């Protein structure tokens, strides 16, 4: 059985204006998938349907054999704690320290009271420092997050996702706000995670070349429809042009010279 | 070839045909009309006053004499300095009691009132009730509670508490709504529950605002407590002020008490500025 299965997902925010149209794919454990597509294609929306951060419209999302759309509050928390999430703008609590932000990833495992009081076990704290060390930011553990650079904050975000012990990590444009060097560091870390810990990664990306470099498989979205789904080497220029709705190179040249 | 074309349907024009860059055309018109009307009414009112018994030549020097007695020759005659300090402490206590309890109640109600943390029906109902409570002045609430508790400090504290809660719910819930939705999204995505999100996401992001609003309310409650001492028999320095002015007609004592209240107000102001700068510099 696949780790994640999406069947006929159709999602609209306003009736009659579907953002996702009949999206279906399945994800095996350990895959590293890049989702590409132009702005507004529905990448973020699709990612948020997977852990029901937005309501799933029609269709079905099966995670680890559980129907995500049918879960009650408690079941949904249970699904979410097994799915890590990494964001473009890191989404940390800026006034708290790095280590506090990382430990937020454990709330899914805690009772309300334990969580509210911030009771974390020594084991959890040790794990948090381990992860910070692995991502090379252990020396910043007691700094407030807003004192860190973007690249460092994103690594904190990844630690927060990892400490959840997730089966899958969803990344929504994790490098869109970073310079090329920091981008490479973050993508390398994600790749390492997927290989070393065997955690499945789904990464929304804007850069086709980055997607081809890192992902085993690419899903191309255009206007809410899957127009490409296959191993990354098979993503040819023709498909890229189709995903981004561009004219072929010859037509482009004609357009410019006119 | 693409070309930038003008879109006359989108732009708005003033009467002289120029492109308008303000959107609230009607709002500013209404505002101007209101100001003119009010100005005209004010001028008109001077013609309808009853001027009998109004002798400015006599009134001005007498007022000046009273002010001089009050502020340049202050002197306590009906009670000593120890007693005065005690009364000030009582007034501060009344204000603090109403503020601390008010802030505690307001915190929980504001969580229910904040649109990003609550459900629409709950947030709307709290807002409506709170707006109503806030619209009624504190003094009136004190008098209403006096029916049950009798005039005195209990009614004063209850009334002040009531109004403080309503005031702080508005302030707090607006602070909560300013919390970056990205923070809430991240916490929810980890599987965190509502209380966990509130305590570890919302609270750290808004704590300084909550603190400075509470302090501001304490300043207000202090001055209300003075007035309540005079008007509702709540005791404290306000009551002494009432006795000195309305009962003994002792202007010099009124002067001392005024100076004391002024001193406290200044101290509170300085404290709150200090508190704010310290909290904000840490952030
Ligand atoms: N909460 C929302 N309410 C209404 N419409 C929304 C909402 N979120 C997204 N949309 C709309 O859904 C469409 C797809 O948005 P989405 O953010 O999924 O695209 P995207 O592929 O992630 O784009 P980008 O690359 O710019 O991030 C857009 O047209 C957007 O306006
Ligand atoms: Mg997006």
């Amino acid at each position: 059985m696949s780790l994640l299965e999406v069947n006929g997902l159709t999602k609209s925010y306003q009736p009659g204006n579907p953002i996702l149209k009949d999206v279906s794919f399945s994800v095996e454990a350990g895959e590293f998938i890049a989702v590409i597509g132009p702005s507004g294609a529905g990448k973020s929306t699709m990612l948020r349907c997977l852990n029901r951060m937005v309501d799933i419209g029609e269709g079905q999302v099966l995670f680890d054999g559980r129907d995500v759309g049918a879960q009650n509050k408690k079941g949904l928390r249970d699904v979410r704690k097994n799915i890590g999430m990494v964001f473009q703008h890191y989404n940390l609590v800026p006034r708290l320290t790095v280590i506090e932000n990382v430990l937020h990833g454990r709330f899914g495992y805690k009772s309300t009271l334990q969580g509210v009081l911030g009771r974390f076990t020594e084991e959890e704290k040790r794990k948090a420092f381990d992860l910070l060390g692995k991502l090379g930011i252990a020396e910043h553990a007691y700094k407030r997050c807003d004192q860190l650079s973007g690249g460092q904050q994103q690594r904190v975000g990844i630690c927060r996702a990892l400490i959840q012990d997730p089966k899958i990590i969803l990344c929504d444009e994790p490098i869109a706000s970073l310079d090329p060097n920091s981008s490479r560091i973050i993508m390398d870390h994600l790749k390492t995670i997927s290989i070393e810990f065997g955690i499945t990664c789904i990464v929304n990306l804007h850069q086709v070349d980055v997607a081809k470099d890192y992902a085993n498989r690419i899903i191309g979205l255009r206007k809410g429809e899957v127009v490409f789904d296959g191993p990354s080497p098979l993503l040819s220029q023709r498909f890229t042009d189709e995903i981004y709705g561009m004219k072929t190179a010859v037509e482009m040249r004609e357009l410019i010279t006119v | 070839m693409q070309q930038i074309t003008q879109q006359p349907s989108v732009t708005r024009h003033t009467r002289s045909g120029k492109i308008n860059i303000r959107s609230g055309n009607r709002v500013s018109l209404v505002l101007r009309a209101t100001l003119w009307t009010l100005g005209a009414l004010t001028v008109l009112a001077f013609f309808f006053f009853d001027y009998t018994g109004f002798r400015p030549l006599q009134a001005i020097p007498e007022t000046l004499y009273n002010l001089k007695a009050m502020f340049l020759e202050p002197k306590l005659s009906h009670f000593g300095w120890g007693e005065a300090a005690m009364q000030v402490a009582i007034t501060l206590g009344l204000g603090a009691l109403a503020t601390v309890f008010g802030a505690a109640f307001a915190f929980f109600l504001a969580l229910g009132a904040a649109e990003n943390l609550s459900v629409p029906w709950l947030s709307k109902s709290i807002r409506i009730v709170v707006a109503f409570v806030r619209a009624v002045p504190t003094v009136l609430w004190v008098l209403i509670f006096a029916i049950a508790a009798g005039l005195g400090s209990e009614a004063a504290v209850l009334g002040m508490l009531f109004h403080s809660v309503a005031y702080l719910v508005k302030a707090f819930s607006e602070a909560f709504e300013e919390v970056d939705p990205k923070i809430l999204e991240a916490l929810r995505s980890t599987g965190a529950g509502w209380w966990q999100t509130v305590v570890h996401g919302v609270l750290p992001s808004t704590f300084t605002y909550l603190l400075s609003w509470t302090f501001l309310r304490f300043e207000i409650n202090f001055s209300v407590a003075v007035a309540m001492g005079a008007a509702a028999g709540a005791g404290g320095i306000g009551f002494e002020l009432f006795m000195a002015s309305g009962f003994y007609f002792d202007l010099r004592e009124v002067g001392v008490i005024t100076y004391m209240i002024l001193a406290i107000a200044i101290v509170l102001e300085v404290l709150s500025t200090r508190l704010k700068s310290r909290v904000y510099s840490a952030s």
Side-chain angles (χ1 to χ4, degrees), chain A residues 48 53 77 80-81 87 89 91-93 95-96 104 107-108 110-111 115-116 144 160, chain B residues 1 182-183 185-193 195-196 199-200 204-205 208 282-283:
Chain A
R48 280 168 178 70
M53 291 303 291
R77 276 187 70 183
R80 281 180 185 168
K81 81 178 181 199
F87 305 87
H89 299 288
N91 298 19
L92 306 169
V93 183
R95 289 176 185 213
L96 295 182
H104 284 175
F107 283 148
K110 304 238 163 258
S111 72
V116 164
R144 284 173 49 139
R160 179 178 61 191
Chain B
M1 282 293 289
K182 295 202 280 290
I183 291 176
E185 180 185 37
L187 281 167
R188 282 178 193 143
S189 80
T190 67
W195 279 109
Q196 297 169 353
V199 173
H200 295 280
S205 314
T208 56
S283 62

Side-chain angles (χ1 to χ4, degrees), chain A residues 2-22:
Chain A
S2 328
L3 178 63
L4 181 74
E5 237 175 275
V6 179
N7 295 323
L9 177 62
T10 300
K11 162 81 189 165
S12 41
Y13 289 107
Q14 289 107 22
N17 179 23
I19 303 300
L20 296 173
K21 295 166 201 156
D22 195 21

Side-chain angles (χ1 to χ4, degrees), chain B residues 50 122 160-161 211 218 229 271:
Chain B
D50 179 7
L122 183 63
M160 277 155 60
L161 178 70
L211 212 61
F218 179 57
L271 275 182

Side-chain angles (χ1 to χ4, degrees), chain A residues 64-114:
Chain A
D64 215 12
R66 306 165 77 166
D67 185 349
V68 176
Q71 300 296 320
N72 59 12
K73 227 179 200 169
K74 191 164 168 300
L76 184 62
R77 276 187 70 183
D78 214 49
V79 165
R80 281 180 185 168
K81 81 178 181 199
N82 284 301
I83 302 181
M85 206 160 187
V86 173
F87 305 87
Q88 175 181 351
H89 299 288
Y90 334 122
N91 298 19
L92 306 169
V93 183
R95 289 176 185 213
L96 295 182
T97 60
V98 166
I99 187 72
E100 284 173 307
N101 267 287
V102 173
L103 286 167
H104 284 175
R106 294 303 295 178
F107 283 148
Y109 292 89
K110 304 238 163 258
S111 72
T112 300
L113 196 65
Q114 278 176 329

Side-chain angles (χ1 to χ4, degrees), chain A:
Chain A
M1 191 184 56
S2 328
L3 178 63
L4 181 74
E5 237 175 275
V6 179
N7 295 323
L9 177 62
T10 300
K11 162 81 189 165
S12 41
Y13 289 107
Q14 289 107 22
N17 179 23
I19 303 300
L20 296 173
K21 295 166 201 156
D22 195 21
V23 171
S24 301
F25 59 91
S26 68
V27 180
E28 302 302 324
E31 279 192 285
F32 194 111
I33 299 179
V35 179
I36 59 172
S39 248
K43 303 184 294 295
S44 303
T45 305
M46 189 192 82
L47 215 62
R48 280 168 178 70
C49 282
L50 302 183
N51 59 352
R52 221 172 98 191
M53 291 303 291
V54 299
D55 274 324
I56 299 168
E58 291 162 48
Q60 203 181 31
V61 176
L62 288 175
F63 172 73
D64 215 12
R66 306 165 77 166
D67 185 349
V68 176
Q71 300 296 320
N72 59 12
K73 227 179 200 169
K74 191 164 168 300
L76 184 62
R77 276 187 70 183
D78 214 49
V79 165
R80 281 180 185 168
K81 81 178 181 199
N82 284 301
I83 302 181
M85 206 160 187
V86 173
F87 305 87
Q88 175 181 351
H89 299 288
Y90 334 122
N91 298 19
L92 306 169
V93 183
R95 289 176 185 213
L96 295 182
T97 60
V98 166
I99 187 72
E100 284 173 307
N101 267 287
V102 173
L103 286 167
H104 284 175
R106 294 303 295 178
F107 283 148
Y109 292 89
K110 304 238 163 258
S111 72
T112 300
L113 196 65
Q114 278 176 329
V116 164
L117 296 177
R119 289 269 165 78
F120 297 103
T121 62
E122 288 302 301
E123 164 92 36
E124 284 170 325
K125 292 180 210 165
R126 212 171 303 121
K127 176 104 184 281
F129 274 99
D130 271 1
L131 287 170
L132 286 173
K134 271 216 178 78
L135 276 92
I137 45 171
E139 76 261 36
H140 302 300
Y142 294 106
K143 277 193 194 160
R144 284 173 49 139
C145 280
D146 46 11
Q147 295 171 355
L148 267 55
S149 75
Q152 291 166 337
Q153 291 194 40
Q154 190 58 294
R155 284 185 263 170
V156 178
I158 293 176
C159 286
R160 179 178 61 191
L162 283 179
I163 205 168
Q164 285 178 241
D165 268 328
K167 295 201 168 70
I168 189 167
I169 292 188
L170 310 174
C171 309
D172 192 11
E173 296 183 22
I175 56 170
S177 313
L178 299 177
D179 65 61
N181 197 34
S182 318
S183 298
R184 204 174 37 72
I185 294 174
I186 293 297
M187 288 310 294
D188 285 342
H189 278 304
L190 289 176
K191 189 75 187 174
T192 315
I193 288 160
S194 98
I195 292 170
E196 216 174 281
F197 303 123
I199 298 174
T200 314
C201 288
I202 302 183
V203 187
N204 280 358
L205 282 173
H206 263 303
Q207 302 88 335
V208 180
D209 45 336
V210 176
K212 288 181 98 164
D213 281 351
Y214 286 91
N216 317 118
R217 174 179 164 196
I218 291 178
I219 294 178
L221 272 186
R222 185 183 171 194
K223 294 186 184 157
E225 282 173 294
V226 177
V227 291
F228 180 87
D229 183 358
S232 9
L234 292 189
L235 183 79
S236 61
Q237 187 62 42
R238 202 174 62 76
F239 277 120
T240 315
D241 289 344
E242 190 185 333
I243 292 167
Y244 287 92
M246 276 195 273
K247 308 271 195 274
T248 59
V250 180
E251 283 174 311
M252 279 292 268
R253 203 164 316 122
E254 277 172 3
L255 214 72
I256 291 164
T257 47
V258 162

